Amino acid sequence: MDSVVDSLNNTYLDFVAAAATVLEARENSTAIKSTATDTALESFKQKWELFRVACDQAEEFVESVKQRIGSECLVDEATGHVAGKPGQATLTGLPPISAVRLEQMSKAVRWLVIELQHGSGAGSSNSAISHPSAPFDARFSEDAAQ
């Protein structure tokens, strides 16, 4: 994370310095465009593009962290490992399930989404039958009924 922040900070500082160079070059030039102004503008464009790339990378990093945190919270809640604040109850009211079971259910949902996207919603109620590789485990009573 530090490298993403450092990269963003460095490209921002370079971008601001390039903007200052453009302003100084324009101030020092006459009404006719000078090569110094052109050079400063070209450098400014390059620094702008580098800054945009750094911003995009930082945004991707933030999104990946949000997804990871969300996944960890989902697994923690599903498995009953919810860390509460001091003095708060950590029970969710739901019986805990294993992480393996959570992954099985997630895969089953993905199969249903794929079926619906491909327009084959007619057989979606029998997804375990239509997709023998669908991840159901007979050890769980709710799966054995399907």
Side-chain angles (χ1 to χ4, degrees), residues 75 97-112 127-128 133-144 146:
V75 169
I97 60 173
S98 71
V100 172
R101 177 72 178 127
L102 179 62
E103 182 63 26
Q104 290 172 343
M105 290 188 298
S106 175
K107 287 179 182 177
V109 168
R110 274 186 248 135
W111 272 110
L112 291 173
S127 63
S133 62
F136 290 110
D137 192 332
R139 293 177 295 168
F140 299 100
S141 60
E142 58 272 15
D143 284 346
Q146 293 182 7

Side-chain angles (χ1 to χ4, degrees), residues 13-96:
L13 293 175
D14 290 345
F15 171 66
V16 170
T21 303
V22 168
L23 294 174
E24 289 171 4
R26 290 191 83 183
E27 187 177 295
N28 295 334
S29 70
T30 59
I32 302 171
K33 280 178 78 173
S34 70
T35 56
T37 303
D38 289 343
T39 303
L41 282 171
E42 188 59 36
S43 175
F44 175 76
K45 284 190 232 178
Q46 290 173 353
K47 301 301 182 188
W48 168 247
E49 286 302 316
L50 291 172
F51 180 62
R52 286 181 50 196
V53 168
C55 287
D56 290 344
Q57 290 172 342
E59 185 176 12
E60 289 172 9
F61 177 76
V62 167
E63 287 301 315
S64 71
V65 169
K66 282 173 40 180
Q67 288 177 354
R68 188 173 356 152
I69 290 171
S71 296
E72 288 173 1
C73 289
L74 179 64
V75 169
D76 287 348
E77 187 157 328
T79 58
H81 298 300
V82 178
K85 295 178 183 173
Q88 282 186 328
T90 58
L91 297 176
T92 62
L94 300 173

